Amino acid sequence: MGVANWVMIWTAIMPLAVILYYFFRKKYKDQRVSSTLFWQERMKELQASPYLKKLQHHLLFYLQLAALLFCVLALIEPFNESETLAGNDFVFIVDTSATMLAGSPTHFEKQQAQMKKLASQAGGKPVTIVTTGVSPEVVIRNEQNVERVEKAIDQLAVSYENAEMEQTILFADTLATNDSTIIHIFTDYLDRAALANKTGQSYQVHGFSEKLTNVAIRQLGLSETDKGTRGIVQVINNSETSMNATVRLSSGSFEKAVEVKLEAAEELLVPFDELPNYKLWQAELDVSDDYAADNTMATYLAPPVNAIVIDSALHELIASGFRSLALDVSLAEATQLQPDAGLPLVTNQRDLLEATTPIFMFGRNDENPFEVTGQIETKPHPLFTYASLDEVYVSQLYPPFKGYETIATIDDHPFIQVSPKGDIVVLTDVQLTDWPLSPSFPLFLWSAMESLSDDAEFLGFFQPNEHRSMSLASPTGEWEIFRDGAYRHSYIEGSGPFVAPNEPGIYQVVGDEKDMTMIVQLTSQEKELSAGSSYVMGQSKAVQDTVRFSFVPFIIGIILLLVLLEWEVYRRGIATR
């Protein structure tokens, strides 16, 4: 509360002048007195309280005095101040990655409360909410109703997929209407470098500086030995203190547990020997930390493929790469390749893509390459789990295949594609790249073999909410997805790409005549917690503005009402004379 014009306080003498005028004005009234005895009594009554009686008999005076007092109040301009967000409209970027589930209450719940608080301070200005991910989504657009904004905030949920914050920020920039738009980013951690070169908008980052404890299962691997199945669980302590934990490996009714102690920032390989020959296994970490989403991991032990057939027309480096994986490599002429042999084929023959056997295509024999420059950009895919292509150089590419999923590009040109039935296509020749000199080359070949040799009962490994083109070949084309016997959703072939569930775990994909298992896993980025901070970057450094709410319009309305009442009192007084 306050006033903006104390100088006009001198006008308070006006109601005082009216009061004095009513006190001392002379007003004569004819009055008949029947006797001098009664006259004396009448005079005593008037002299007892002359000023009070004058006030008691003048309603018009009260109304005039009240109107003058409100006029004085209006002249000094009283107001009330309230805090509101700086800017004319706002874009809320909400991090929905798995790490937002850390803490108790979780970071996501705290950010929801913060968003609702800021929405209430928006003062009716437009609010847009965008969620993060590979495909950012607009939840609401330019909404001015606070209740609808709060309802949309309450309905937000964690999607478990990578935030892809830089991509989401670029998308949010396109939603900004002008330079006065303020973009609020609600996350756990965001490096300032992500906003260092952005000067067109103003950004307010809401992060968390608290350091939480976390022990995660980084990897789970299984292999068949002479004594049965051997498993290795890689556990890492991302905390600054030592942690005690129990690592459990289970499949069906079988379970085996190992007690471990991890020092700060320690990585530990926990072996499990002489396991039964089951296919589906799950590792679970029993530990008291602040983040539980990375405490479980599943894997599937697919039958190993020990042999592969390679087109002899391809470069020798391809065969050398597969031999380094301890595979039985056979070379064959292009005319001798058997498309229905069941073994994976490595070739550049375009016609063999129609075969039923798995195909790993390196180059094309039906097109000419064109020159490209630039770095390789990859999309999240299991083929790149262990193979990084950051330092690989490619000079030329072949034209892509229509209808295939592109998982790696160079200058926006497809570099690596996956066909609907799972064939892998690398659109270059070995001699056109230095890839064989990189350690990622044999790792990529190994990942490709794992992908091509998937079990018929195993659909594959997926990331949360991953979109993938797949041909499941069901008679009706309808598949139902279950987890722990509970129905989740359905997928209709031909309606679009197959979308994996957003929550990590083991799922059953059930068709008319087929039942397959799929595993949804967190990415390695979602298994690391980082402490951040809140800061402001961009054009404006102001976080909040002060808005004045003036009472003058309401006071003027009261004054007009009092004037109407005065007129009515005056009119009635004249009428009764």
Side-chain angles (χ1 to χ4, degrees):
M1 288 289 292
V3 294
N5 195 6
W6 275 112
V7 178
M8 299 302 296
I9 193 64
W10 66 269
T11 57
I13 64 176
M14 292 189 295
L16 294 177
V18 172
I19 294 174
L20 293 175
Y21 168 75
Y22 270 88
F23 276 174
F24 298 105
R25 75 169 183 168
K26 292 182 180 295
K27 185 174 181 181
Y28 299 97
K29 181 180 180 182
D30 294 337
Q31 184 171 0
R32 294 179 179 274
V33 179
S34 59
S35 171
T36 56
L37 295 176
F38 294 118
W39 171 262
Q40 292 177 355
E41 293 296 327
R42 178 63 178 170
M43 291 302 297
K44 289 180 181 179
E45 181 182 350
L46 291 176
Q47 292 174 355
S49 53
Y51 301 114
L52 182 60
K53 283 190 173 294
K54 288 183 179 180
L55 294 178
Q56 289 175 344
H57 296 290
H58 292 88
L59 177 59
L60 192 60
F61 164 74
Y62 298 135
L63 294 174
Q64 290 175 347
L65 184 62
L68 283 173
L69 289 174
F70 277 107
C71 284
V72 174
L73 191 61
L75 289 173
I76 64 176
E77 300 179 18
F79 62 85
N80 183 37
E81 289 185 344
S82 61
E83 297 292 335
T84 185
L85 294 182
N88 292 332
D89 60 294
F90 314 99
V91 177
F92 289 178
I93 297 179
V94 186
D95 186 351
T96 58
S97 61
T99 55
M100 293 295 289
L101 294 175
S104 180
T106 65
H107 288 168
F108 192 76
E109 293 172 340
K110 292 179 180 178
Q111 293 291 32
Q112 282 182 303
Q114 177 69 5
M115 281 186 283
K116 293 172 71 173
K117 178 181 178 182
L118 295 182
S120 65
Q121 297 177 354
K125 300 174 184 177
V127 176
T128 299
I129 299 179
V130 179
T131 57
T132 62
V134 177
S135 300
E137 295 184 1
V138 177
V139 180
I140 56 173
R141 179 76 181 273
N142 293 332
E143 182 59 59
Q144 296 179 268
N145 187 295
V146 177
E147 293 183 356
R148 293 178 182 174
V149 174
E150 291 181 347
K151 182 179 180 181
I153 293 173
D154 289 333
Q155 293 176 347
L156 293 174
V158 172
S159 65
Y160 291 89
E161 62 179 311
N162 291 344
E164 302 294 341
M165 190 62 73
E166 294 186 7
Q167 177 178 329
T168 306
I169 293 174
L170 290 175
F171 176 73
D173 288 340
T174 64
L175 301 177
T177 57
N178 48 55
D179 293 341
S180 63
T181 300
I182 308 297
I183 299 178
H184 291 260
I185 303 175
F186 300 89
T187 183
D188 49 357
Y189 168 78
L190 181 62
D191 193 345
R192 291 175 180 265
L195 303 173
N197 298 324
K198 296 183 178 297
T199 58
Q201 299 295 334
S202 299
Y203 302 90
Q204 171 70 26
V205 178
H206 306 269
F208 294 94
S209 58
E210 59 181 338
K211 295 183 179 180
L212 303 178
T213 59
N214 180 42
V215 180
I217 298 177
R218 179 66 59 84
Q219 293 292 342
L220 169 60
L222 295 173
S223 62
E224 292 185 351
T225 65
D226 296 337
K227 298 181 179 180
T229 302
R230 186 173 190 267
I232 295 180
V233 181
Q234 183 186 17
V235 183
I236 181 171
N237 182 11
N238 293 321
S239 312
E240 296 182 351
T241 59
S242 61
M243 302 286 290
N244 295 318
T246 302
V247 183
R248 292 187 176 89
L249 190 62
S250 61
S251 179
S253 60
F254 177 85
E255 181 179 294
K256 197 171 184 178
V258 176
E259 301 285 341
V260 297
K261 180 178 182 180
L262 297 100
E263 300 297 331
E266 181 184 4
E267 294 186 18
L268 187 64
L269 297 178
V270 183
F272 292 85
D273 295 318
E274 299 182 2
L275 300 174
N277 293 323
Y278 298 151
K279 292 183 177 181
L280 185 62
W281 291 86
Q282 178 169 290
E284 184 177 356
L285 192 63
D286 187 2
V287 62
S288 179
D289 62 358
D290 295 316
Y291 182 45
D294 58 0
N295 290 349
T296 58
M297 189 173 185
T299 191
Y300 189 88
L301 184 61
V305 175
N306 299 321
I308 189 171
V309 180
I310 300 178
D311 191 337
S312 60
L314 298 180
H315 199 281
E316 175 62 24
L317 288 174
I318 296 179
S320 300
F322 281 107
R323 288 192 184 99
S324 67
L325 303 177
L327 295 177
D328 183 8
V329 177
S330 300
L331 299 178
E333 297 289 337
T335 56
Q336 298 177 349
L337 294 176
Q338 300 180 10
D340 299 324
L343 293 177
L345 300 181
V346 183
T347 182
N348 65 349
Q349 303 296 315
R350 166 68 176 82
D351 296 338
L352 291 177
L353 287 175
E354 308 301 329
T356 57
T357 192
I359 301 296
F360 184 9
M361 192 169 178
F362 228 111
R364 294 183 63 169
N365 68 332
D366 61 334
E367 296 284 352
N368 295 320
F370 57 90
E371 294 186 358
V372 292
T373 58
Q375 294 182 339
I376 299 175
E377 297 183 2
T378 61
K379 295 182 178 179
H381 196 274
L383 287 175
F384 306 126
T385 302
Y386 305 102
S388 175
L389 308 185
D390 294 339
E391 303 298 330
V392 175
Y393 169 74
V394 178
S395 61
Q396 293 182 343
L397 291 177
Y398 287 97
F401 290 94
K402 294 183 179 180
Y404 284 21
E405 179 187 7
T406 299
I407 61 175
T409 60
I410 301 177
D411 293 337
D412 295 330
H413 297 291
F415 171 45
I416 301 177
Q417 293 184 300
V418 179
S419 74
K421 75 182 184 72
D423 295 333
I424 301 172
V425 178
V426 179
L427 296 168
T428 190
D429 294 325
V430 171
Q431 57 268 28
L432 300 178
T433 175
D434 65 351
W435 196 4
L437 303 178
S438 172
S440 65
F441 185 67
L443 293 174
F444 180 83
L445 296 181
W446 178 82
S447 297
M449 287 300 300
E450 290 290 319
S451 177
L452 294 174
S453 62
D454 280 344
D455 194 303
E457 298 179 356
F458 183 59
L459 187 59
F461 295 94
F462 292 80
Q463 295 179 2
N465 202 33
E466 180 182 350
H467 292 54
R468 187 184 299 181
S469 298
M470 302 190 69
S471 178
L472 301 179
S474 170
T476 61
E478 182 177 1
W479 296 84
E480 295 181 336
I481 300 176
F482 295 84
R483 185 183 183 188
D484 297 330
Y487 171 81
R488 291 305 182 94
H489 63 273
S490 296
Y491 168 66
I492 307 297
E493 290 189 58
S495 62
F498 180 83
V499 181
N502 60 0
E503 189 174 352
I506 302 172
Y507 294 83
Q508 288 72 44
V509 183
V510 181
D512 294 327
E513 302 175 355
K514 200 172 184 179
D515 188 349
M516 295 182 291
T517 300
M518 66 177 294
I519 296 176
V520 179
Q521 293 181 343
L522 285 179
T523 62
S524 57
Q525 296 95 319
E526 297 304 312
K527 297 182 179 182
E528 298 180 2
L529 300 182
S530 300
S533 61
S534 300
Y535 55 90
V536 180
M537 294 189 70
Q539 290 183 342
S540 175
K541 298 298 181 181
V543 178
Q544 289 184 326
D545 284 338
T546 300
V547 175
R548 286 187 175 184
F549 179 78
S550 178
F551 294 111
V552 172
F554 297 97
I555 296 175
I556 292 176
I558 295 174
I559 293 173
L560 293 176
L561 179 61
L562 291 174
V563 170
L564 290 176
L565 291 175
E566 285 183 33
W567 169 252
E568 181 64 19
V569 172
Y570 179 73
R571 186 185 66 80
R572 288 176 179 269
I574 293 177
T576 56
R577 287 182 181 177

